[in-house]
Amino acid sequence: KIKGVDINGNESKAALVIPIIVNPIFYKTWWFILLMILCIGGIIYGVFQYRLNQALAMERLRTKISSDLHDDVGSMLTGLAMQTEMLEIQATNEKDKTKLHKITNMSRKTVSHMRDLVWSIDSRKDTFGNLVERMHELAEELLLPAGISYHIDIEELNLQKKINFNCRRNLYLIYKEAINNIIRHSDAKKVSVEFHNLDGVCQFNIKDNGYLKVKKHSTGIGLANMKMRAESINAELKLNAENGFGIFISIPNLS
């Protein structure tokens, strides 16, 4: 808008109006902003969908591998163990019997390790309930024949909650190592296993009522392996050899 002013400061009644239209720069227009929001949303959705597809593909692969190992390799090893056991029974030479007995024991141990491997890989066994079920199976297989009773306290545990594959595997292997140590190095008659949730931290405790027959820092009890497995899942492991053999594990953000 333009007006004239005389020497006395009086403005003219008429004014010159010149319309000026300024188009906003493209990245400030509504359509560009909307397009960017849609593009960012599409990228986020694409990344999420890709990761979901990768996770599903990994689960299918784990299921296939575990099924193949169980059906093919597992059945072959079981058959080998049974045949070796039959040969041991039929053998007349004591030296042959001893060799066949060693092969039979080795085959049985291999089958047991294969079962653990198949279980740890299987994506259909990813819940706390599956972990506890497997712990019961191992305790019945190892503790009861040794005359050791056991109790697993899971009152505070959500059995339907999924647990990370690596965490589930390492917790089970720590548990298995602890059970083997109790059988080999303790005169216990009872084993207690407990799960507790304290302020977002899961406490996993394994303790017996016996006396540890080896020194606390002996390499024979496999403590180094248990500590290594605990570190791999960002957990803290403590050993207590007073008033029985005890393993205490603190796991933050268990999932």
Side-chain angles (χ1 to χ4, degrees):
K1 294 180 179 181
I2 302 174
K3 281 186 178 183
V5 180
D6 62 18
I7 193 171
N8 296 320
N10 299 316
E11 295 182 356
S12 63
K13 293 181 179 180
L16 176 63
V17 179
I18 303 174
I20 301 174
I21 299 174
V22 180
N23 293 322
I25 196 165
F26 74 94
Y27 56 79
K28 292 185 177 180
T29 56
W30 67 269
W31 59 266
F32 183 83
I33 295 173
L34 178 60
L35 180 61
M36 287 298 98
I37 292 174
L38 292 175
C39 287
I40 294 172
I43 292 172
I44 294 174
Y45 175 77
V47 171
F48 172 78
Q49 194 64 34
Y50 173 77
R51 294 186 63 181
L52 178 61
N53 290 337
Q54 289 291 97
L56 292 175
M58 181 60 70
E59 286 197 2
R60 287 193 292 268
L61 180 61
R62 285 171 54 195
T63 301
K64 184 178 184 303
I65 291 174
S66 63
S67 298
D68 290 345
L69 285 173
H70 179 270
D71 296 340
D72 298 333
V73 182
S75 60
M76 290 172 62
L77 288 173
T78 303
L80 175 63
M82 293 177 63
Q83 290 183 23
T84 308
E85 192 171 356
M86 291 297 296
L87 290 173
E88 179 188 351
I89 295 173
Q90 296 172 3
T92 56
N93 188 298
E94 194 62 32
K95 188 175 181 181
D96 292 339
K97 273 181 172 289
T98 303
K99 290 180 178 179
L100 290 169
H101 183 70
K102 289 181 179 179
I103 296 174
T104 301
N105 287 339
M106 188 180 300
S107 300
R108 295 294 182 189
K109 288 180 180 179
T110 305
V111 170
S112 177
H113 289 309
M114 177 63 67
R115 287 178 57 203
D116 290 340
L117 178 62
V118 169
W119 176 83
S120 66
I121 293 175
D122 197 342
S123 63
R124 296 167 294 185
K125 308 292 185 182
D126 278 349
T127 65
F128 278 106
N130 299 131
L131 175 60
V132 173
E133 181 182 359
R134 186 63 179 157
M135 287 180 173
H136 275 289
E137 290 178 2
L138 183 69
E140 291 176 359
E141 180 182 339
L142 299 181
L143 292 177
L144 296 186
I148 303 174
S149 62
Y150 74 94
H151 173 71
I152 300 179
D153 183 5
I154 56 172
E155 291 182 2
E156 302 177 12
L157 202 62
N158 180 6
L159 298 181
Q160 302 304 318
K161 183 179 179 181
K162 284 204 168 187
I163 180 173
N164 177 272
F165 156 72
N166 185 53
C167 186
R168 174 173 62 90
R169 177 177 178 272
N170 281 289
L171 279 181
Y172 174 72
L173 291 176
I174 291 173
Y175 169 78
K176 184 176 182 180
E177 182 69 30
I179 294 299
N180 284 322
N181 288 336
I182 290 171
I183 294 173
R184 292 196 302 263
H185 304 297
S186 175
D187 59 353
K189 296 301 179 184
K190 183 179 180 181
V191 174
S192 297
V193 181
E194 299 177 348
F195 277 100
H196 295 295
N197 287 315
L198 301 173
D199 300 326
V201 177
C202 180
Q203 288 289 141
F204 176 44
N205 304 329
I206 308 166
K207 186 168 178 56
D208 68 19
N209 64 344
Y211 173 74
L212 192 63
K213 301 174 185 176
V214 296
K215 293 181 180 180
K216 182 177 180 180
H217 299 289
S218 172
T219 56
I221 64 173
L223 180 60
N225 285 338
M226 288 190 281
K227 283 187 174 181
M228 180 187 67
R229 296 190 185 282
E231 289 173 0
S232 70
I233 56 176
N234 299 320
E236 181 184 359
L237 183 145
K238 294 181 180 179
L239 172 69
N240 187 345
E242 298 178 1
N243 299 321
F245 176 73
I247 294 289
F248 305 91
I249 307 171
S250 300
I251 317 153
N253 302 319
L254 182 58
S255 61

